[in-house]
Amino acid sequence: MPSVGPSTSPKNLRISAGELAALLGGDLSGPADLPITGIAPIESGGPGDLTFVRAKSFARHWEASRCSAVLVTRGVELPPTPDRAVITVDDADTAFARVLAHIDPGTHTPPAGVHPSCVIDPGATVSPAASLGPNCVISAGAVIKDHAVLIARVFVGADTTIAEHATLHAGVVIGDRCTIGRRTVVHPNAVVGADGFGYIPPTDDRPAIKIPQIGSVEVGEDCEIGAGSTVDRAKLGATRIGDRVKIDNLVHIAHNCTIGDDSILCGRTTLGGSVTLGKRVMIGGAVTIADQASVGDHARIAGAAIVMDSVPAGETYAGIPAMPARTALANHGAMRTLAEFMRRVDKTLARLTPKDEPKDSQEPAKPPAEQHAERT
Amino acid sequence: MPSVGPSTSPKNLRISAGELAALLGGDLSGPADLPITGIAPIESGGPGDLTFVRAKSFARHWEASRCSAVLVTRGVELPPTPDRAVITVDDADTAFARVLAHIDPGTHTPPAGVHPSCVIDPGATVSPAASLGPNCVISAGAVIKDHAVLIARVFVGADTTIAEHATLHAGVVIGDRCTIGRRTVVHPNAVVGADGFGYIPPTDDRPAIKIPQIGSVEVGEDCEIGAGSTVDRAKLGATRIGDRVKIDNLVHIAHNCTIGDDSILCGRTTLGGSVTLGKRVMIGGAVTIADQASVGDHARIAGAAIVMDSVPAGETYAGIPAMPARTALANHGAMRTLAEFMRRVDKTLARLTPKDEPKDSQEPAKPPAEQHAERT
Amino acid sequence: MPSVGPSTSPKNLRISAGELAALLGGDLSGPADLPITGIAPIESGGPGDLTFVRAKSFARHWEASRCSAVLVTRGVELPPTPDRAVITVDDADTAFARVLAHIDPGTHTPPAGVHPSCVIDPGATVSPAASLGPNCVISAGAVIKDHAVLIARVFVGADTTIAEHATLHAGVVIGDRCTIGRRTVVHPNAVVGADGFGYIPPTDDRPAIKIPQIGSVEVGEDCEIGAGSTVDRAKLGATRIGDRVKIDNLVHIAHNCTIGDDSILCGRTTLGGSVTLGKRVMIGGAVTIADQASVGDHARIAGAAIVMDSVPAGETYAGIPAMPARTALANHGAMRTLAEFMRRVDKTLARLTPKDEPKDSQEPAKPPAEQHAERT
């Protein structure tokens, strides 16, 4: 297949090393007139490409790299390469993100106005400054504000508000009675405002009784909600996602959750009902948080952890069940030799136990396998 | 952001305490003419709001609550609050669900008939009493029965039947040869009838061989299938979901699964191929059930459990791997101190082992870390 | 509900046992003129049905089966059933897959050409030999090649190429700058080319900084991507899925992953950022692979495993954390009796420890529960 990498992207890099150093407020060593025409990973890049070195551990790659220029964090020593450009900045990551933003082709968005294929309920209010691409459906009472962008095939439910400069990608469904904040981005096929999942369990005498979920979802400003993720409406009041919350793909957020400002949730994480996350919480991928659990401000949860109850503010938790990360690391490491350890200990204890002791005066030292057989 | 909670919902509560007690068949103490204008959680509600107290443990919140009325389960003592209304019912949960249903604004649905933007294959049969919203696509041989509601952008495959009063939300895809039962609700962007995933694994000599999945999916009556969930067609025959089965969001149900009546599956659960669930099984969130495993009638699986083989009828299982819940609770608790326990035991055993014994006559008591280093 | 199984499928089996044996190059014993009219599982099939016996362990079912004919792997002994047809083949699985393909009704696809309800950007190139069903949206710079099939409601982003004979099912979203290879199938509501998830975490002084993901996704030839799965674009370069890769439903593949040819990923698996899978890797269901981890060629990962670092080529790993499968099996088995083992060992050690030893000269042998209580 032909490569469709950034080198073919509409807005490519056309800048000299000197201009780039000035743009980033960095210190240049090497030729100021050296042209930079693209950006690439340090191993795979070639002439004309800019790359970056975050920390000492990557510095060794620079000498062998075919890239023409590098952004390096102040304090990281690079081998001298006179013919190439080294731009020293306070933080190579941040500087590199700025360069990426500079050449980001961005999302291909429809022009302002409503595509003729859209179906807008007469009871809806759509700003003339909003951009609605093909096949969007806007329900009664919905409000689409200035400069909101609905890429294509977006469904907006009744009495729902999409705030200024929000972007809803193709296939997004926003349910009834929800609010999407300013500049928030909802990625393809995500669902915000699905019905909450609440039932009084069935008994011998009657089937399950549905608990109507008459609440809503309120998503704050500058959030991102990943592709295929789902956020359910509350039973009462609202499922609340604060400002600047970043949610990855295929994340499930159940009814009545509250997520604090600046929190980050990585892919495939699950929040049960009424989970509360504080501010600036960081959750790794594939984490499960049980119903009613809470996570304090600034806490961090390692990927794949299972949080059963609560995590204190500022703590880093990991493991199954989730516990302080250092303990989890030790215990999960110990798991790797558990069976062998049990065998060895049972053997040693059997040898240490005086032969003449009446067996019924103590628990026998049987191998775990047998005990298990007895138990199940 | 402005609140878009239930207080702004179209059908709000306008009823007196006396009328409500009569509606629910409850016993009223307090002013019968007290107006109830909304419902709210016991902590956050205010004047005019109705709340509920399920059990003794919540009773203490009533005195401090600003709510005007409360539904309380018979037998739960509440502090006397003469100016407020206390309605005693057999089960506060059930009564509260009835009140929620009474004021539920419901889903905004299209009128009966087919929206002009829909594309209906000439070989499809759509009841004039069905409601098809914008941009629905109905394939050849499909049958949409009386009072079925397709909110918008629903795709119905060839030879598929959508029964009476079923509701398919925006973005739903129902594949070929499937059946959706009466009154069943499929939530946004869910997929029923995707191709089953079956391959004869690749060898050195040839690539993987696809096993065609020529079967179907049959979903019973009064079911719910959550947003973004996927249910695959069977290799032969049908993947069967019984009646009154409630499935939450982002659940994956592989080919040839069978789910018994009245079962409940919470969010992000995964059923491997040919899994069998009995009747009225309850599965927590993020559970994984391995291919071919079976779960007996009325069994319960705790959230995040991994079921490797089978769970007997009526049992409650939990843990990784899933085992009887009491054992799982003890074992996962023990995990929290495993590494420290191993260190301590090895130290004590080393001390207890007579010095003169020839080391090669027994397994050495090395710390687990070293043994691990040897092994990997 | 009426059955909608294969017996109602448009292309049903109408063949004699002799013709089928010839078709498959198998050896027939039994009546060559025996008509075969359907296929079914060995337990539930009836007269006229063909079934199969892969291995000895299933042979016992044949005598009781009501099926009229069976495909059996050479070397597997079946009880004599003179009136029925036994067709012996080298591999019953492969032969059976061929029979299924023979009667597979296939997917109902739109005719060649563009449905009038589609919205095609003037800057897009759509082959007249491609089939675009209702409500597809094709963006500027996109290329849809000969015989590509877009079932319905497919969104194709800017500068994206859909190669010959690829099939995109209903609700699929392909983002900007991506490539879908020849004959690759993307199942309903899957998303390829969503924005990668990269942020420089927030600090006390500033919010999170988004790292623009300017790369693409390149999907090879003859791949399948399951319903509701998501594949993110790369930060730089491309997220690469090789040829003949089969991905099940609700799988998440983060930015910059590389998946080798002929790999198979089962349902609900999660690949973190920059994960590398070698060629012909097999991943079970609900597996989690951490950011940056790599899995060597031909390695196998058991379902629900959590891979923290790397898996060597050719190895089979399982467990949490993932380790060689035999060790994992032993350790997870040991988990079933861990708490009871700890109690017993502590008790025995306490008894073996001489009373007169000063307690402060060693760690005390407390029950784990107490230690835990101290710790947390």
Side-chain angles (χ1 to χ4, degrees):
Chain A
M1 282 165 294
S3 164
V4 291
S7 58
T8 67
S9 65
K11 288 173 54 187
N12 210 339
L13 203 51
R14 294 275 173 270
I15 192 166
S16 75
E19 290 164 332
L20 186 62
L23 175 75
L24 300 172
D27 305 329
L28 171 68
S29 85
D33 58 352
L34 184 144
I36 299 171
T37 56
I39 60 184
I42 194 161
E43 303 90 343
S44 60
D49 282 333
L50 170 74
T51 190
F52 75 116
V53 169
R54 170 190 299 115
K56 289 190 171 47
S57 52
F58 297 96
R60 56 189 173 75
H61 294 303
W62 172 239
E63 195 150 23
S65 174
R66 296 174 51 249
C67 293
S68 298
V70 62
L71 295 173
V72 59
T73 299
R74 201 175 304 284
V76 174
E77 295 293 326
L78 290 184
T81 50
D83 56 329
R84 295 191 278 170
V86 175
I87 300 172
T88 304
V89 291
D90 294 342
D91 173 27
D93 284 316
T94 312
F96 197 65
R98 287 178 58 191
V99 177
L100 287 171
H102 183 70
I103 65 169
D104 185 359
T107 302
H108 182 78
T109 56
V114 175
H115 191 279
S117 63
C118 293
V119 178
I120 315 288
D121 187 282
T125 306
V126 177
S127 159
S131 300
L132 277 62
N135 294 330
C136 293
V137 176
I138 313 298
S139 306
V143 178
I144 314 295
K145 298 197 167 175
D146 297 351
H147 309 297
V149 175
L150 282 58
I151 300 288
R153 285 195 8 233
V154 170
F155 177 88
V156 176
D159 303 314
T160 282
T161 297
I162 311 300
E164 293 81 357
H165 297 280
T167 299
L168 308 182
H169 280 271
V172 163
V173 175
I174 311 291
D176 297 349
R177 304 187 302 280
C178 297
T179 304
I180 304 294
R182 296 184 185 81
R183 297 173 302 278
T184 284
V185 179
V186 184
H187 293 281
N189 286 352
V191 177
V192 175
D195 197 11
F197 191 74
Y199 296 91
I200 301 171
T203 66
D204 292 343
D205 311 322
R206 55 153 183 79
I209 296 170
K210 177 169 175 59
I211 301 170
Q213 308 283 309
I214 70 173
S216 66
V217 178
E218 298 183 2
V219 180
E221 306 188 337
D222 300 295
C223 294
E224 302 222 0
I225 296 177
S229 290
T230 62
V231 184
D232 279 358
R233 292 199 324 271
K235 173 183 169 188
L236 284 176
T239 300
R240 293 179 197 283
I241 296 177
D243 294 334
R244 300 173 302 279
V245 172
K246 314 298 185 183
I247 298 174
D248 199 354
N249 296 358
L250 294 176
V251 170
H252 169 50
I253 298 179
H255 56 175
N256 294 91
C257 286
T258 300
I259 302 181
D261 297 343
D262 299 295
S263 291
I264 295 180
L265 286 70
C266 294
R268 270 273 322 280
T269 280
T270 304
L271 268 53
S274 301
V275 165
T276 301
L277 304 185
K279 293 177 188 296
R280 211 201 301 168
V281 167
M282 293 192 53
I283 310 276
V287 166
T288 301
I289 304 185
D291 293 352
Q292 315 292 335
S294 67
V295 178
D297 294 348
H298 301 186
R300 303 159 63 92
I301 312 292
I306 298 177
V307 178
M308 303 306 292
D309 30 46
S310 288
V311 175
E315 292 289 317
T316 299
Y317 268 44
I320 300 171
M323 60 191 95
R326 283 191 58 233
T327 315
L329 197 67
N331 291 335
H332 283 278
M335 262 299 285
R336 294 178 182 274
T337 54
L338 179 60
E340 183 277 345
F341 171 83
M342 280 182 165
R343 277 195 305 275
R344 181 166 48 77
V345 168
D346 279 315
K347 196 165 158 188
T348 311
L349 288 181
R351 194 166 37 70
L352 288 170
T353 305
K355 297 287 164 295
D356 55 355
E357 277 194 30
K359 278 295 173 210
D360 61 353
S361 76
Q362 59 174 294
E363 283 184 68
K366 291 181 186 170
E370 275 173 69
Q371 294 159 8
H372 182 213
E374 284 174 359
R375 178 166 299 96
T376 58
Chain B
M1 282 165 296
S3 164
V4 292
S7 58
T8 68
S9 65
K11 287 174 54 189
N12 210 339
L13 202 51
R14 293 274 173 271
I15 192 166
S16 74
E19 292 166 332
L20 186 61
L23 175 74
L24 300 172
D27 305 327
L28 171 68
S29 85
D33 59 353
L34 183 144
I36 299 171
T37 56
I39 61 184
I42 193 161
E43 303 90 343
S44 61
D49 283 333
L50 170 74
T51 189
F52 74 115
V53 169
R54 169 192 299 117
K56 287 187 173 48
S57 52
F58 297 95
R60 56 188 172 76
H61 295 302
W62 172 240
E63 195 149 22
S65 173
R66 296 173 51 248
C67 294
S68 298
V70 62
L71 296 173
V72 60
T73 300
R74 204 175 302 286
V76 175
E77 295 294 326
L78 291 185
T81 50
D83 57 328
R84 296 190 277 170
V86 175
I87 301 172
T88 303
V89 292
D90 294 341
D91 174 27
D93 284 316
T94 313
F96 197 66
R98 286 179 59 193
V99 177
L100 287 170
H102 184 70
I103 66 168
D104 184 358
T107 302
H108 181 78
T109 57
V114 175
H115 191 279
S117 63
C118 294
V119 178
I120 315 288
D121 187 283
T125 306
V126 177
S127 159
S131 300
L132 276 63
N135 295 329
C136 294
V137 176
I138 312 298
S139 306
V143 177
I144 314 295
K145 298 198 168 174
D146 298 350
H147 309 297
V149 175
L150 283 59
I151 300 288
R153 288 196 5 235
V154 170
F155 177 88
V156 176
D159 303 314
T160 282
T161 297
I162 310 299
E164 293 80 358
H165 296 281
T167 299
L168 308 181
H169 280 271
V172 163
V173 175
I174 312 291
D176 297 349
R177 307 189 299 279
C178 297
T179 304
I180 303 295
R182 295 182 185 81
R183 295 173 303 278
T184 284
V185 178
V186 185
H187 292 281
N189 286 352
V191 177
V192 176
D195 196 11
F197 191 75
Y199 295 91
I200 301 171
T203 66
D204 292 344
D205 311 323
R206 56 153 182 79
I209 297 170
K210 177 169 175 60
I211 302 170
Q213 307 284 307
I214 70 173
S216 66
V217 178
E218 297 184 3
V219 180
E221 306 188 337
D222 300 296
C223 294
E224 302 222 0
I225 296 177
S229 290
T230 63
V231 184
D232 278 0
R233 293 199 325 272
K235 172 184 170 187
L236 284 176
T239 300
R240 293 180 197 282
I241 296 177
D243 295 334
R244 299 173 304 279
V245 173
K246 314 299 185 183
I247 298 173
D248 199 354
N249 296 357
L250 295 176
V251 170
H252 170 51
I253 298 178
H255 56 175
N256 295 90
C257 286
T258 300
I259 302 181
D261 296 344
D262 298 296
S263 292
I264 295 180
L265 287 70
C266 295
R268 270 273 322 281
T269 280
T270 303
L271 268 54
S274 301
V275 165
T276 301
L277 304 186
K279 293 178 188 297
R280 211 201 303 167
V281 167
M282 293 191 53
I283 310 275
V287 167
T288 301
I289 303 185
D291 292 354
Q292 317 289 336
S294 67
V295 178
D297 294 348
H298 301 190
R300 303 159 65 92
I301 313 292
I306 297 177
V307 178
M308 303 307 293
D309 30 47
S310 288
V311 176
E315 292 289 317
T316 298
Y317 268 44
I320 300 170
M323 60 191 94
R326 282 191 58 233
T327 316
L329 196 65
N331 291 335
H332 283 278
M335 261 301 284
R336 295 179 182 274
T337 55
L338 180 59
E340 184 276 345
F341 170 83
M342 281 182 165
R343 276 194 306 276
R344 181 166 50 77
V345 168
D346 277 315
K347 196 166 157 187
T348 310
L349 288 182
R351 196 166 37 70
L352 287 171
T353 305
K355 296 289 162 296
D356 55 354
E357 278 193 30
K359 278 293 171 214
D360 60 351
S361 75
Q362 58 173 295
E363 284 183 67
K366 290 179 188 170
E370 277 173 66
Q371 294 159 7
H372 181 215
E374 284 176 359
R375 179 169 297 97
T376 57
Chain C
M1 282 165 294
S3 164
V4 292
S7 59
T8 68
S9 65
K11 289 174 55 188
N12 210 341
L13 203 51
R14 293 274 174 272
I15 191 168
S16 75
E19 292 165 331
L20 185 61
L23 175 74
L24 300 171
D27 305 328
L28 172 68
S29 85
D33 59 354
L34 184 142
I36 298 172
T37 56
I39 60 184
I42 193 161
E43 304 89 341
S44 60
D49 284 331
L50 169 74
T51 189
F52 74 115
V53 169
R54 169 192 297 117
K56 287 186 171 49
S57 52
F58 297 96
R60 56 188 174 76
H61 294 301
W62 172 240
E63 195 149 24
S65 174
R66 295 173 53 247
C67 294
S68 297
V70 61
L71 296 172
V72 59
T73 299
R74 203 175 302 284
V76 175
E77 294 294 327
L78 290 185
T81 50
D83 56 331
R84 295 191 277 171
V86 175
I87 301 172
T88 303
V89 292
D90 293 342
D91 173 28
D93 284 316
T94 313
F96 196 66
R98 287 178 59 192
V99 178
L100 287 171
H102 184 71
I103 65 168
D104 185 358
T107 302
H108 181 78
T109 56
V114 175
H115 191 280
S117 63
C118 294
V119 178
I120 315 288
D121 187 282
T125 307
V126 178
S127 159
S131 300
L132 276 61
N135 295 330
C136 293
V137 176
I138 313 297
S139 307
V143 177
I144 314 294
K145 298 197 167 174
D146 297 351
H147 309 297
V149 176
L150 282 58
I151 300 289
R153 283 195 11 233
V154 171
F155 177 89
V156 177
D159 304 312
T160 282
T161 297
I162 310 299
E164 293 81 357
H165 296 280
T167 299
L168 308 182
H169 280 271
V172 163
V173 175
I174 312 292
D176 298 348
R177 306 189 300 280
C178 297
T179 304
I180 304 294
R182 296 184 185 79
R183 297 173 301 279
T184 284
V185 179
V186 184
H187 292 281
N189 285 354
V191 177
V192 175
D195 197 11
F197 191 75
Y199 295 92
I200 301 172
T203 66
D204 292 342
D205 310 323
R206 56 155 184 76
I209 296 170
K210 176 168 175 61
I211 301 170
Q213 308 283 309
I214 71 174
S216 66
V217 178
E218 298 183 3
V219 179
E221 306 188 337
D222 299 297
C223 294
E224 302 223 359
I225 296 177
S229 291
T230 62
V231 184
D232 279 358
R233 293 200 322 273
K235 173 184 168 187
L236 284 176
T239 300
R240 293 180 197 283
I241 296 177
D243 295 334
R244 301 174 300 281
V245 172
K246 314 298 186 183
I247 298 173
D248 199 354
N249 296 358
L250 294 176
V251 170
H252 170 50
I253 298 178
H255 56 174
N256 294 91
C257 286
T258 300
I259 302 181
D261 297 344
D262 298 296
S263 291
I264 294 180
L265 286 69
C266 294
R268 268 275 321 281
T269 280
T270 303
L271 269 54
S274 300
V275 166
T276 301
L277 304 185
K279 293 178 188 294
R280 210 200 303 167
V281 168
M282 292 192 53
I283 310 276
V287 166
T288 302
I289 304 184
D291 293 353
Q292 316 290 336
S294 67
V295 178
D297 293 349
H298 302 186
R300 302 160 64 92
I301 312 291
I306 297 178
V307 178
M308 303 308 291
D309 29 46
S310 289
V311 176
E315 292 289 317
T316 299
Y317 268 44
I320 300 172
M323 59 191 96
R326 282 191 58 234
T327 314
L329 197 65
N331 292 335
H332 283 279
M335 261 300 283
R336 294 178 182 274
T337 55
L338 179 60
E340 184 276 344
F341 171 82
M342 281 182 167
R343 276 195 305 277
R344 182 167 48 78
V345 168
D346 278 316
K347 197 166 157 189
T348 311
L349 288 182
R351 195 167 37 69
L352 288 170
T353 306
K355 298 289 163 294
D356 56 353
E357 276 192 29
K359 277 295 173 213
D360 60 351
S361 74
Q362 58 174 294
E363 286 183 65
K366 290 180 188 169
E370 275 172 69
Q371 295 158 9
H372 181 216
E374 284 174 1
R375 179 168 295 97
T376 57

